[in-house]
Amino acid sequence: MTVHWYPLPSRDDATGAATAAFRAAFGREPDGLWAAPGRVNLIGEHVDYQAGLCLPFALPQRTVVAIATRDDDLLRLRSAQLDGSGDTWEGRIGEIRPGSVPGWAGYGAGVPWALRADGFDVPGADVLVDGSVPLGAGLSSSAALECALALALDDVAGLGLATSDAGRARLAAACVRAENEIAGAPTGGMDQAAALRCRAGHALLLDCRDFGATQVPFDLAGAGLELLVTDTRAHHALVDGRYGSRRDTCARAAASLGVTTLREIPGKTLDSALAVVRDAALDAVLADELCRCVRHVVTEIDRVTAVATLLREGRLREIGPLLDASHRSLRDDYQVSCAELDVACEATLAAGALGARMTGGGFGGSAIALVEAADTQTVAKAVADAFAARGWDHPIFLRAVPDTAGERLR
Ligand code: ADP
Ligand code: MG
């Protein structure tokens, strides 16, 4: 059984490929190239939109944008990943509205729209998107695209936001609006913060109440560990409604508890909160659904705090059981896992992983496993074998190494 790994192009190769693709698409030279990373969320899943805590880190895999500004108001977008199927999208920035940009282009077109809505004057541009973040794998290719373009527009318009963490938080907020309102995906703010604010060798403890961020040391290699990512290649787009329905359920539960978000429910009061939610629900089915959502969000936020503490103390191996508990909560209470993610986690654990969970929005996408560095190949092979035994398409792996946030490449 062959074990498939995602390639990681060198910076020079990535820059050369995007420049060549830009020339081929637009017949001129780009003004520059900017890149932003995909991310792995170590723990803290489906809590960002409930003002919770999460702990993502940036991947070496990056989305690159090559852009050249235009004198008119036109935005032209092309993606090397969609060559053949994705024709260039073209439109005036001033005419972009919610619902006016179909498909993948919404993730790009939303960015200048949101920056302008925020009062920043950004120009028209020709934009070529290329990169190595797998699409729809739960590793946040959507935010990588938005954030790479936001960095590019910030730079060419001289906004200067990318030079400070506070400015980057503003860029991230604009990218969230782009994704929510123009691409139509009701995601929270974790992915954009990760793409713009992470630091190499660290995970980003993000408090989604105010998007305050703290860097937490996460030296996997120093501890002799690796984080294996399995892209199950089961894709279920977030725009399809199930993500939004979880958000709605959380909002209903919060309303019946008289709070704005479930973040306001401390873990130690969980049992009494569940009793209130159960009493307020109209029927037993709804009561069960609301309670499961509350239990996931409240316990997951506590697990993030516990993992961050262990990382700060250098006790990396001890986060394994918390990763397992997070997966069970997402599978059984929040119900956003799927057979492929469950099998990936079970197979990695059976092969000796210290902990495993789905990462990202779920309904497909990727799982992570904390493994002794010497075991990574064996563990990956065990997952590949488990998929083959079920007749599933083969998974693709990568080793997640905490890397830097987005930046200008040249
Ligand atoms: P994830 O962010 O986990 O990869 P999403 O469903 O949120 O998954 O976003 C994936 C979508 O983002 C793709 O289906 C596509 O519409 C868009 N996208 C992301 N990266 C690119 C790219 N390089 N080229 C074109 N579209 C992209
Ligand atoms: Mg996404």
Side-chain angles (χ1 to χ4, degrees):
M1 172 55 48
T2 319
V3 178
H4 299 261
W5 295 86
Y6 277 112
L8 182 60
S10 72
R11 187 174 162 131
D12 281 351
D13 287 350
T15 307
T19 306
F22 185 94
R23 284 190 197 118
F26 300 113
R28 58 180 181 139
E29 290 297 306
D31 297 340
L33 283 85
W34 292 258
R39 61 97 189 95
V40 158
N41 186 24
L42 185 59
I43 196 160
E45 212 67 74
H46 278 282
V47 296
D48 55 355
Y49 50 79
Q50 284 298 309
L53 297 169
C54 51
L55 199 57
F57 64 90
L59 288 170
Q61 278 74 13
R62 260 139 228 267
T63 297
V64 179
V65 299
I67 88 165
T69 56
R70 301 175 57 93
D71 294 334
D72 54 23
D73 193 39
L74 217 55
L75 182 69
R76 296 202 289 172
L77 295 168
R78 190 176 178 88
S79 168
Q81 272 69 59
L82 302 179
D83 233 7
S85 60
D87 288 332
T88 305
W89 180 86
E90 187 173 311
R92 299 201 175 279
I93 297 176
E95 291 169 5
I96 295 168
R97 302 273 179 277
S100 76
V101 187
W104 76 275
Y107 294 94
V111 175
W113 170 85
L115 286 169
R116 285 199 187 170
D118 219 2
F120 297 111
D121 189 19
V122 292
D126 291 338
V127 180
L128 185 285
V129 182
D130 194 5
S132 54
V133 184
L135 268 60
L139 303 175
S140 189
S141 68
S142 57
L145 192 171
E146 293 147 16
C147 294
L149 183 54
L151 288 168
L153 293 172
D154 172 66
D155 216 346
V156 297
L159 306 180
L161 294 169
T163 56
S164 70
D165 186 61
R168 282 173 173 255
R170 285 196 73 172
L171 287 176
C175 291
V176 174
R177 276 196 77 182
E179 178 149 337
N180 289 170
E181 296 180 44
I182 303 299
T187 50
M190 169 174 70
D191 298 350
Q192 294 78 5
L196 289 169
R197 302 173 69 192
C198 278
R199 190 181 296 166
H202 292 74
L204 188 79
L205 179 59
L206 187 69
D207 187 332
C208 298
R209 268 190 306 219
D210 55 3
F211 291 101
T214 316
Q215 304 288 343
V216 181
F218 187 35
D219 182 8
L220 282 162
L225 295 169
E226 284 183 341
L227 201 79
L228 176 71
V229 178
T230 303
D231 175 5
T232 65
R233 299 168 79 212
H235 291 318
H236 311 282
L238 297 186
V239 220
D240 76 355
R242 282 180 288 186
Y243 191 101
S245 80
R246 296 300 184 289
R247 267 187 97 134
D248 294 345
T249 307
C250 286
R252 273 176 92 155
S256 68
L257 286 161
V259 292
T260 317
T261 66
L262 297 175
R263 174 66 184 281
E264 292 161 55
I265 309 299
K268 57 182 181 306
T269 67
L270 176 61
D271 287 341
S272 54
L274 292 176
V276 171
V277 170
R278 201 173 290 120
D279 285 350
L282 294 176
D283 60 63
V285 175
L286 182 61
D288 176 62
E289 186 188 337
L290 293 168
C291 285
R292 283 189 287 98
C293 284
V294 172
R295 192 160 54 223
H296 167 68
V297 172
V298 172
T299 60
E300 183 77 352
I301 291 170
D302 279 355
R303 283 186 287 272
V304 177
T305 307
V307 167
T309 302
L310 288 170
L311 294 190
R312 286 198 182 97
E313 294 172 356
R315 297 158 62 190
L316 271 61
R317 281 177 179 71
E318 293 171 54
I319 71 171
L322 290 156
L323 301 182
D324 296 340
S326 170
H327 186 75
R328 284 194 298 273
S329 180
L330 289 155
R331 182 190 64 195
D332 302 335
D333 275 345
Y334 218 58
Q335 301 189 359
V336 291
S337 188
C338 63
E340 293 88 344
L341 289 168
D342 293 343
V343 166
C345 291
E346 286 154 19
T348 51
L349 291 171
L354 304 168
R357 61 180 291 271
M358 55 160 277
T359 188
F363 311 116
S366 296
I368 55 172
L370 184 69
V371 291
E372 301 290 348
D375 294 345
T376 307
Q377 278 289 349
T378 321
V379 172
K381 178 153 185 332
V383 180
D385 289 344
F387 273 49
R390 286 163 179 78
W392 294 343
D393 208 0
H394 68 80
I396 309 182
F397 300 95
L398 59 87
R399 289 180 176 81
V401 180
D403 209 330
T404 53
E407 60 190 350
R408 184 168 189 158
L409 293 180
R410 89 163 172 74

